[in-house]
Amino acid sequence: MKCVSVSVLLCVLWSQTHGVHIRLQNQNSSERLDAAVTADLSAVIRRVDRRFLSVTIDASLASEEKFMYLLSAPKVRTLARALSPAFLRFGGTRQDFMVFVPRRPRPVSGVAAEPSCGELDLPSWLEEKLKADWTQQKLILLREDLQRKYRRVKFTESTVDLLHSFSSCSGMDLIFGLNALLRTADNTWNSSNALSLLQYCESKQYRMSWELGNEPNSYEKKAGIRVDGYQLGQDFTRLREMMSESKLYRDAGLFGPDVGQPRDHRVDILEGFLQSGAQAVDACTWHHYYVNGRDTSLEDFLDPEVLDTLALKTGEVLEKVKLASPGKPVWLGETSSAYGGGAVGLSDTFVAGFMWLDKLGLAARLGLDVVMRQVFIGSGSYHLVDDNLDPLPDYWLSLLYKTLVGPEVLKVEASSSVARSKRVRLYLHCANRNRYRSGAVTLMSMNLSKKPARISIHALVSSGTVEAFVLESEQPGEDGLYSRSVRLNGVVLKMVDDKTLPDLKGLRLPPSEHLQLPAYSLAFFVLTDARAAGCV
């Protein structure tokens, strides 16, 4: 794959409407490129959910209930807490093979004597044992995935208790995925097991939301059962009726159908579901992955055309939902770089950040309200936290996004050959108001090129403070794209200890300073004195 390298000069000029005009020029190429990018600071074009960047825990972690105790590890809780507010979705392929088997007498309704968050730390010796056992468990799970043969998994109150404790102590809102493959003789959903689980959760006063089934388009392949979209919608309607009979869950969230990205009959499943089940759900969820994790390459992760496929698929889903249920929120209910558990040696390395940051920027601009990253911790190679419970590059990228980026999306448009090469990609939001004053904006930038880009801001804007947060691999050049360590403004990011994250310090640039976007880098530039009318 040929890399088109550009050196970019951004000249910012105020328009009469208080927009921003940004000029891009190629300064060291024999083929000079001139393009204009226009950013309008006068109005917000979209506003996403405050939990826009959310995370998942794959149901495979409960394949043996003991592994759920990893969620009590101090390091895991520290890392999760820093990403709040967020949804925490528990689901995935194995949710449709899980059966709730209660072991304890049901407590009196309204009585929930839960230990405090500080009392739940996992002993270090047990953490080490579980991490070692999980390494072997992943091999078993991988074999099941390759053979598409999944065993039924029984789970008890402990799984639910640990999940709820983890989500509440982390400041996240739990979404629990129910088994939709429990069917009756006439192929309707058998809701008895779900009812038992709801009753237990209500007795514990666990506030949570619900889903039903995962990727129903693949039921025939993985279970030999075909459920059409219309029937699935009726199943969701039945679940909503059950929830309405509960004092605790009558107003709780219900999301679905968690269908795979549009392709052949998957569109038919979504359309059928929307006909019968659109009114039952609070948001329509679908899944997106760019590539097959078993046959992808480094070049795919840097290919602008691959990144742009998200826009095409999103457009198809938004159109279907708008026709059937205008105004219904649409979420990416599960997403990452590569399906099939991720791409080994790529999905958990620095290069995966280009797919992740571009997805966050593009999804917000296109109108998706929530994006749930598969996975926070657990099976596969697309996790944010590795098997040693250490944060990977995409975790640090997610943490920076949460820290610096607000939910308000601002308009940015580009044209001409520099824009068409799409190797320098830009997204603009209001800055996070918990950290910055009103009017500040955050420019999300990425350079997929092997040569640096230079960003220069007109004095009217750059006379104020600009904070730069530039992420690069620990190692320079293309080899560094495979690294599992990341530098922020030259300093390698790592936890101080199991309960302490490092300070994310921006580099304050003096007035009129050029903004440098190094080769193969990701950056957030916060213009604290932009005085954006849309961000006031």
Side-chain angles (χ1 to χ4, degrees):
M1 180 167 300
K2 183 178 180 181
C3 291
V4 180
S5 60
V6 293
S7 179
V8 180
L9 176 66
L10 277 70
C11 305
V12 181
L13 305 172
W14 288 91
S15 73
Q16 293 180 346
T17 59
H18 303 291
V20 177
H21 297 279
I22 307 174
R23 180 160 298 281
L24 291 82
Q25 297 176 326
N26 181 15
Q27 293 193 312
N28 61 351
S29 171
S30 58
E31 187 176 318
R32 181 170 293 278
L33 300 174
D34 291 300
V37 175
T38 302
D40 184 3
L41 304 186
S42 65
V44 170
I45 59 170
R46 299 194 189 280
R47 182 176 280 103
V48 297
D49 193 283
R50 66 188 183 90
R51 297 155 294 188
F52 174 72
L53 194 168
S54 290
V55 295
T56 73
I57 289 178
D58 195 85
S60 59
L61 194 66
S63 55
E64 284 193 27
E65 204 160 47
K66 66 179 182 180
F67 294 117
M68 296 298 294
Y69 283 92
L70 285 170
L71 299 180
S72 297
K75 192 185 298 186
V76 174
R77 296 210 169 196
T78 299
L79 293 168
R81 195 176 304 116
L83 295 183
S84 67
F87 289 105
L88 177 73
R89 179 210 184 219
F90 177 79
T93 297
R94 287 171 179 80
Q95 83 178 64
D96 286 310
F97 297 89
M98 293 180 64
V99 177
F100 179 55
V101 182
R103 291 180 178 174
R104 303 194 293 266
R106 190 175 303 150
V108 177
S109 180
V111 177
E114 294 299 310
S116 67
C117 296
E119 298 173 341
L120 295 168
D121 286 353
L122 186 69
S124 58
W125 66 268
L126 182 54
E127 177 183 319
E128 294 303 317
K129 184 179 188 306
L130 289 174
K131 288 192 295 188
D133 291 350
W134 177 248
T135 301
Q136 298 303 312
Q137 182 70 4
K138 285 181 68 176
L139 298 177
I140 297 173
L141 297 172
L142 178 60
R143 184 166 60 249
E144 289 182 358
D145 288 334
L146 292 174
Q147 296 175 349
R148 287 186 176 272
K149 293 182 179 179
Y150 301 100
R151 57 190 171 86
R152 174 166 288 192
V153 174
K154 297 179 180 180
F155 71 100
T156 72
E157 299 93 335
S158 293
T159 287
V160 188
D161 295 344
L162 288 165
L163 264 176
H164 185 268
S165 170
F166 176 70
S167 62
S168 60
C169 289
S170 302
M172 295 185 177
D173 298 321
L174 179 61
I175 301 173
F176 193 98
L178 298 168
N179 184 345
L181 282 178
L182 295 173
R183 315 299 294 178
T184 64
D186 60 356
N187 202 30
T188 60
W189 178 50
N190 185 337
S191 61
S192 59
N193 193 252
L195 179 60
S196 177
L197 178 59
L198 262 69
Q199 289 172 339
Y200 171 74
C201 292
E202 183 168 21
S203 73
K204 299 286 285 186
Q205 291 293 290
Y206 287 164
R207 296 194 176 276
M208 53 205 290
S209 299
W210 304 92
E211 291 182 345
L212 177 60
N214 179 78
E215 297 186 356
N217 44 279
S218 65
Y219 283 171
E220 198 164 8
K221 287 184 178 179
K222 64 189 179 187
I225 297 173
R226 184 175 179 86
V227 181
D228 64 44
Y230 193 85
Q231 177 59 58
L232 188 65
Q234 292 180 319
D235 298 339
F236 269 79
T237 300
R238 168 61 187 142
L239 175 55
R240 175 58 80 183
E241 291 171 352
M242 289 168 51
M243 293 168 61
S244 68
E245 295 168 1
S246 161
K247 290 183 180 180
L248 186 62
Y249 298 124
R250 63 179 53 161
D251 297 319
L254 176 59
F255 312 110
D258 283 284
V259 69
Q261 62 199 51
R263 187 183 303 158
D264 305 326
H265 74 288
R266 299 179 189 179
V267 178
D268 298 332
I269 288 179
L270 179 59
E271 289 178 339
F273 169 82
L274 290 169
Q275 289 177 24
S276 59
Q279 298 307 309
V281 295
D282 297 288
C284 180
T285 56
W286 64 291
H287 298 179
H288 176 270
Y289 294 86
Y290 293 102
V291 291
N292 184 339
R294 299 188 179 99
D295 64 7
T296 190
S297 65
L298 179 74
E299 288 77 14
D300 288 338
F301 278 65
L302 295 169
D303 188 345
E305 292 185 4
V306 172
L307 300 185
D308 287 342
T309 59
L310 174 63
L312 177 64
K313 299 297 184 181
T314 299
E316 292 182 45
V317 174
L318 290 175
E319 181 181 2
K320 299 295 183 186
V321 176
K322 184 178 180 179
L323 285 172
S325 186
K328 181 75 65 180
V330 179
W331 295 2
L332 270 179
E334 178 189 307
T335 192
S336 191
S337 53
Y339 62 86
V344 176
L346 292 172
S347 291
D348 57 354
T349 65
F350 181 80
V351 74
F354 295 102
M355 285 184 168
W356 183 221
L357 184 57
D358 197 70
K359 178 167 286 185
L360 291 171
L362 189 55
R365 194 177 76 191
L366 293 172
L368 299 176
D369 289 301
V370 172
V371 173
M372 295 192 189
R373 169 61 185 257
Q374 176 85 348
V375 294
F376 178 70
I377 182 175
S379 185
S381 58
Y382 41 31
H383 40 208
L384 296 179
V385 178
D386 69 15
D387 293 342
N388 195 44
L389 310 186
D390 290 320
L392 289 161
D394 273 6
Y395 174 84
W396 297 113
L397 181 58
S398 301
L399 182 59
L400 276 171
Y401 185 98
K402 284 282 189 178
T403 304
L404 305 175
V405 180
E408 302 90 357
V409 185
L410 298 169
K411 186 177 181 180
V412 177
E413 292 182 345
S415 62
S416 110
S417 55
V418 170
R420 284 196 298 271
S421 75
K422 297 184 179 179
R423 295 232 168 240
V424 175
R425 301 169 77 89
L426 307 171
Y427 298 97
L428 191 65
H429 280 230
C430 297
N432 186 343
R433 299 190 191 189
N434 292 327
R435 179 169 175 134
Y436 297 99
R437 60 177 173 265
S438 295
V441 300
T442 299
L443 179 67
M444 289 173 277
S445 316
M446 63 197 80
N447 183 4
L448 284 67
S449 169
K450 62 184 177 181
K451 289 188 178 181
R454 187 179 66 163
I455 305 175
S456 176
I457 301 179
H458 186 268
L460 186 58
V461 174
S462 62
S463 59
T465 300
V466 177
E467 289 188 14
F469 299 81
V470 180
L471 288 175
E472 298 176 85
S473 171
E474 185 180 13
Q475 302 168 333
E478 189 171 302
D479 289 344
L481 295 172
Y482 296 100
S483 175
R484 290 181 173 84
S485 295
V486 61
R487 291 180 292 142
L488 173 61
N489 295 333
V491 179
V492 175
L493 290 173
K494 55 184 178 181
M495 297 185 74
V496 177
D497 55 48
D498 286 359
K499 295 188 176 183
T500 311
L501 289 166
D503 290 334
L504 301 178
K505 297 180 180 179
L507 181 63
R508 291 202 166 201
L509 304 179
S512 300
E513 183 77 8
H514 291 298
L515 307 181
Q516 301 296 330
L517 195 56
Y520 299 133
S521 68
L522 304 149
F524 300 83
F525 295 112
V526 184
L527 283 66
T528 60
D529 301 314
R531 299 189 296 275
C535 302
V536 174

